Amino acid sequence: MGKIKGKAYYDINQNSTYDTTDVLLQNQHINFAQGTDLTTMANGTYLINVDSGLVNMSLTALPAGFICNTPLIDTISSQEVIIHDFIVSSTSNFTDLSVSLNATGTTRLNESLTLSINVKNIGTQTASGYVKMFMPPGYTLINLQKGSITNDTLTWNVNVTPFRSENNLITIRVDSFPINQETHFNANLSIVNDINLTNNTDTVGVMIRDSL
């Protein structure tokens, strides 16, 4: 049995060589035609033991605008170790950040509610912007992970590299939101030259119940 190992990375300067500024791709799907598919680890590397013979592996499920032209097609013998990197490049340069908003925790008066904002870079270059979210009256701030709240408006500056995301947690105590109806939270992302404005806003509705 042989062994294949290497890494998957986004080649930012497209010089076909891994540099420290390149982005290692975590949890990236690798198709293995002769066996079970696998995913890269948190540090962008992979390792697989394979039977002797033909091996055909390719990086798949890349976001739109990205390609990998370095599949592995080779023959491996027993005890052989093949080192192979999957190099990802972009077909064009574009900026695209997306924002998502979720709420977890109890939804009763005088109890805590946690809001999670995630900003993901699905573009080809590092991008900066800011998120604003209006906080409806009737809460007490317990914890804010990043950013600041002024006049019931959260402002959070972000700077995200391609294939990476930033997360922010806001924990509040529900004091006097309307009972038995949804209270809506809206997160809006502002960024210059973003090619897809449809993913720059997200809304979550929370149904508040009376306290026990």
Side-chain angles (χ1 to χ4, degrees):
M1 180 168 285
K3 181 181 296 183
I4 304 173
K5 63 180 181 178
K7 58 183 173 291
Y9 65 92
Y10 171 45
D11 187 15
I12 290 181
N13 59 9
Q14 302 195 37
N15 64 353
S16 300
T17 301
Y18 176 71
D19 305 305
T20 55
T21 55
D22 292 334
V23 182
L24 292 165
L25 306 184
Q26 58 188 10
N27 301 318
Q28 184 62 52
H29 186 266
I30 301 174
N31 175 261
F32 181 34
Q34 286 74 35
T36 303
D37 291 357
L38 63 152
T39 57
T40 57
M41 293 180 281
N43 61 357
T45 63
Y46 72 95
L47 171 65
I48 185 173
N49 296 317
V50 299
D51 294 327
S52 301
L54 177 68
V55 290
N56 188 333
M57 301 173 67
S58 58
L59 207 65
T60 59
L62 289 167
F66 295 91
I67 57 173
C68 179
N69 288 325
T70 57
L72 174 62
I73 303 175
D74 205 344
T75 301
I76 192 170
S77 58
S78 179
Q79 306 301 316
E80 182 181 3
V81 177
I82 294 178
I83 300 176
H84 181 81
D85 291 344
F86 294 100
I87 305 174
V88 174
S89 59
S90 57
T91 57
S92 61
N93 288 323
F94 60 91
T95 300
D96 191 4
L97 293 185
S98 66
V99 64
S100 60
L101 176 62
N102 291 285
T104 58
T106 58
T107 54
R108 294 184 180 276
L109 285 179
N110 303 315
E111 296 183 352
S112 63
L113 173 70
T114 298
L115 301 165
S116 173
I117 308 175
N118 182 269
V119 176
K120 184 176 182 180
N121 190 340
I122 50 181
T124 61
Q125 50 198 351
T126 299
S128 298
Y130 62 88
V131 176
K132 282 189 177 292
M133 184 175 70
F134 176 71
M135 304 290 294
Y139 73 94
T140 296
L141 178 66
I142 297 176
N143 184 65
L144 175 62
Q145 190 177 45
K146 301 171 185 176
S148 61
I149 295 179
T150 304
N151 297 326
D152 293 321
T153 299
L154 165 71
T155 303
W156 171 37
N157 295 318
V158 295
N159 184 63
V160 193
T161 58
F163 290 93
R164 293 289 187 264
S165 60
E166 293 287 340
N167 199 62
N168 195 2
L169 296 177
I170 307 101
T171 303
I172 62 174
R173 187 182 70 235
V174 178
D175 294 331
S176 60
F177 287 166
I179 304 301
N180 296 326
Q181 60 179 297
E182 279 194 332
T183 295
H184 290 92
F185 297 86
N186 302 288
N188 296 288
L189 173 64
S190 296
I191 177 174
V192 177
N193 298 324
D194 196 303
I195 67 166
N196 183 12
L197 299 181
T198 62
N199 58 15
N200 288 173
T201 185
D202 197 19
T203 300
V204 63
V206 179
M207 183 71 74
I208 305 299
R209 306 297 184 186
D210 201 353
S211 58
L212 293 175

